[in-house]
Amino acid sequence: MENLPSLWLIKGNLGYITTYFVPSTNPFTGMPYSHKGLDISNARQGDSVIATAGGKVVAAGFDPSYGNMVIIKHPNGYYTRYAHMQSLSVRKGQTANRVQR
């Protein structure tokens, strides 16, 4: 379970899912598309985001579409992306450990 993305990612179990893995409508273009992830928001700034599973940080930095973003590659082939964050506390190449709360 250590390497399977399965924990809630906002410390303190805050937040809610705003978009699921479903066919959706692009909020900018109004065109249909297949949303390939979960969008989670807590409507607050500064709350900690935690790794939902252990792995290696393969990207960490600013992205024009996602703002401050981190991508973690997990040993089972899954990747998790954390985006729109106020700041980053990891660097590419670091090991991310699953945090038990």
Side-chain angles (χ1 to χ4, degrees):
M1 289 299 290
E2 165 70 23
N3 298 315
L4 181 65
S6 57
L7 292 178
W8 192 252
L9 64 118
I10 302 172
K11 193 172 184 177
N13 293 320
L14 300 171
Y16 54 94
I17 297 172
T18 59
T19 309
Y20 291 86
F21 284 94
V22 294
S24 234
T25 301
N26 184 302
F28 301 105
T29 66
M31 300 297 295
Y33 78 106
S34 180
H35 192 261
K36 294 180 172 57
L38 288 177
D39 288 348
I40 299 170
S41 175
N42 70 340
R44 294 178 4 166
Q45 290 186 4
D47 288 319
S48 296
V49 174
I50 62 171
T52 63
K56 183 173 183 172
V57 177
V58 295
F62 183 81
D63 178 90
S65 296
Y66 294 106
N68 287 321
M69 178 193 71
V70 172
I71 298 174
I72 299 174
K73 180 180 180 183
H74 306 285
N76 55 18
Y78 286 106
Y79 288 80
T80 53
R81 179 183 308 169
Y82 308 85
H84 310 299
M85 295 180 290
Q86 187 174 18
S87 61
L88 301 177
S89 61
V90 297
R91 293 181 316 277
K92 181 178 178 179
Q94 282 186 293
T95 297
N97 296 311
R98 178 179 168 149
V99 177
Q100 292 293 336
R101 295 175 251 146

